[in-house]
Amino acid sequence: MLGNETIPKFILLGLGELPEFQIPLFLLFLIIYTVTLTGNILILAIVVFDRHLHTPMYFFLGNLSFLEACYSSNIFPRMLLALLTGNGTISYSHCIMQWYLFGSLEATECCLLCVMSYDRYLAICRPLHYATIMSPWICVQLAAASWINGFVGFSILLTFILQLNFCGPSEIDHYVCDNFPLLKLSCSDTSILEIMSYVVAVIFTLPPFLLTLTSYIYIIAAILKIPSTTGRQKAFSTCSSHLVVVSIFYGSLMIVYILPNNELTHDMKKFSSLLYTVLPPLANPFIYSLRNREVKEALKNNIERFMSQKTSSINLVNVVNI
């Protein structure tokens, strides 16, 4: 199209440079999406319905699981459809909506991971003050602040990106409508928006990462004081798993959004975006929850209760039929 008219659709090239692997990649990402969605919905359901898990730690885990389920559902269905059909076409409105949800949920997750690390710091390093500081109202405020900050931050960028004109080309060399690949296609002046995007990226990645890292340093120092070798090893195993996933998430975000945007780093940025898109939503349910004894017991009890109710219902139906 010519002039300053906005083009009606974009084409997400995705992983088009690997056409011979389209079907294997489709199957791989389908499995990842299924496991991710099932794991996060399962954790959310357990946290909501099991009163033994109505504590600050599991309240934040429930928020994280809900976020990961939304985040994955915003990305994977369209990517899977493109891999299966080879058609990466996406309308302008859907692309902008995907970009907005993608960025807002990323920013919210940065805040939530920071809050969760602070919660663990208080529980381990200041246990006597934990119940007072992490009251139910404070937990709600911290979770609400995380969600509001994430969506408000990208709402500001949204007001600017809606004013851009797209005159062509329409191909986005990515598997999702991400910020900088989208800005490259605009025929408007995007210099101010690019600066704002960098500022927002720095605000939502560096401070939360540094605060999270500081919390884990204090936690590790407290773990070193545990007299039992077995206790130290168990605590280190859990803590190191958390720290690895958090580091990959924040590190890949910094590579994509803070490093200078040049052609030499494009492939690395595309690979890094896969890391924070795929790995944290897949790993978090297992690392934060399903390895936890309380969650395992809650899951077991709920399954037993469900099976017991089902057996009772079947027996009742058989009695009525007789």
Side-chain angles (χ1 to χ4, degrees):
M1 299 183 66
L2 302 176
N4 290 329
E5 298 178 28
T6 298
I7 57 176
K9 62 183 178 180
F10 296 104
I11 300 173
L12 293 170
L13 298 181
L15 302 172
E17 65 270 18
L18 302 171
E20 66 275 16
F21 295 107
Q22 294 289 91
I23 297 302
L25 286 172
F26 168 79
L27 295 174
L28 174 63
F29 286 122
L30 178 62
I31 293 171
I32 290 174
Y33 177 54
T34 303
V35 174
T36 298
L37 198 62
T38 303
N40 283 290
I41 290 177
L42 183 62
I43 296 302
L44 178 61
I46 292 173
V47 169
V48 170
F49 293 110
D50 196 302
R51 59 184 180 84
H52 298 100
L53 300 182
H54 291 176
T55 62
M57 182 179 79
Y58 292 109
F59 172 73
F60 294 127
L61 282 173
N63 273 268
L64 183 65
S65 294
F66 176 70
L67 183 148
E68 301 287 25
C70 295
Y71 182 77
S72 300
S73 297
N74 181 47
I75 302 300
F76 279 102
R78 187 167 291 278
M79 185 168 70
L80 288 170
L81 182 63
L83 285 171
L84 184 63
T85 63
N87 182 9
T89 302
I90 182 172
S91 68
Y92 171 80
S93 58
H94 286 168
C95 184
I96 296 299
M97 179 59 68
Q98 187 184 64
W99 166 85
Y100 176 66
L101 291 176
F102 183 69
S104 299
L105 291 172
E106 277 178 359
T108 302
E109 183 165 1
C110 289
C111 298
L112 270 179
L113 289 174
C114 181
V115 169
M116 290 169 65
S117 67
Y118 177 65
D119 171 73
R120 289 301 83 206
Y121 158 75
L122 291 176
I124 294 172
C125 302
R126 301 185 63 186
L128 298 179
H129 303 280
Y130 179 70
T132 304
I133 298 174
M134 278 297 177
S135 64
W137 179 234
I138 293 297
C139 291
V140 170
Q141 286 182 311
L142 289 172
S146 299
W147 286 92
I148 292 171
N149 285 338
F151 278 83
V152 168
F154 272 80
S155 293
I156 296 171
L157 293 180
L158 178 63
T159 58
F160 284 90
I161 206 167
L162 288 175
Q163 299 176 29
L164 297 180
N165 295 311
F166 294 92
C167 315
S170 60
E171 293 181 342
I172 301 177
D173 189 10
H174 214 295
Y175 56 87
V176 64
C177 287
D178 203 358
N179 190 64
F180 292 114
L182 189 59
L183 294 184
K184 279 185 175 181
L185 300 185
S186 175
C187 51
S188 303
D189 181 10
T190 61
S191 55
I192 295 178
L193 190 51
E194 286 180 11
I195 294 172
M196 291 180 62
S197 299
Y198 278 118
V199 170
V200 169
V202 169
I203 290 174
F204 280 106
T205 52
L206 283 180
F209 175 66
L210 292 176
L211 289 172
T212 301
L213 191 60
T214 302
S215 297
Y216 277 109
I217 289 173
Y218 278 103
I219 290 170
I220 291 171
I223 291 173
L224 290 174
K225 298 177 182 178
I226 298 176
S228 168
T229 304
T230 304
R232 281 201 306 271
Q233 289 177 345
K234 184 177 179 181
F236 263 123
S237 174
T238 303
C239 183
S240 61
S241 300
H242 292 188
L243 197 54
V244 166
V245 173
V246 166
S247 298
I248 290 174
F249 176 72
Y250 283 116
S252 54
L253 278 178
M254 291 176 194
I255 290 173
V256 173
Y257 296 108
I258 297 180
L259 285 184
N261 191 28
N262 55 65
E263 294 300 325
L264 294 176
T265 60
H266 176 72
D267 291 338
M268 182 172 64
K269 288 188 175 186
K270 200 171 180 181
F271 174 74
S272 297
S273 66
L274 267 179
L275 287 181
Y276 66 73
T277 301
V278 173
L279 186 59
L282 177 65
N284 284 340
F286 299 96
I287 289 179
Y288 284 104
S289 303
L290 295 178
R291 292 176 58 189
N292 190 295
R293 180 177 56 83
E294 291 177 327
V295 174
K296 288 180 181 178
E297 289 180 358
L299 181 60
K300 180 182 176 182
N301 292 336
N302 280 279
I303 290 175
E304 289 177 351
R305 189 183 309 152
F306 173 77
M307 295 303 294
S308 176
Q309 291 176 351
K310 188 175 181 180
T311 303
S312 300
S313 300
I314 293 174
N315 291 337
L316 181 61
V317 169
N318 290 336
V319 169
V320 172
N321 290 335
I322 291 173

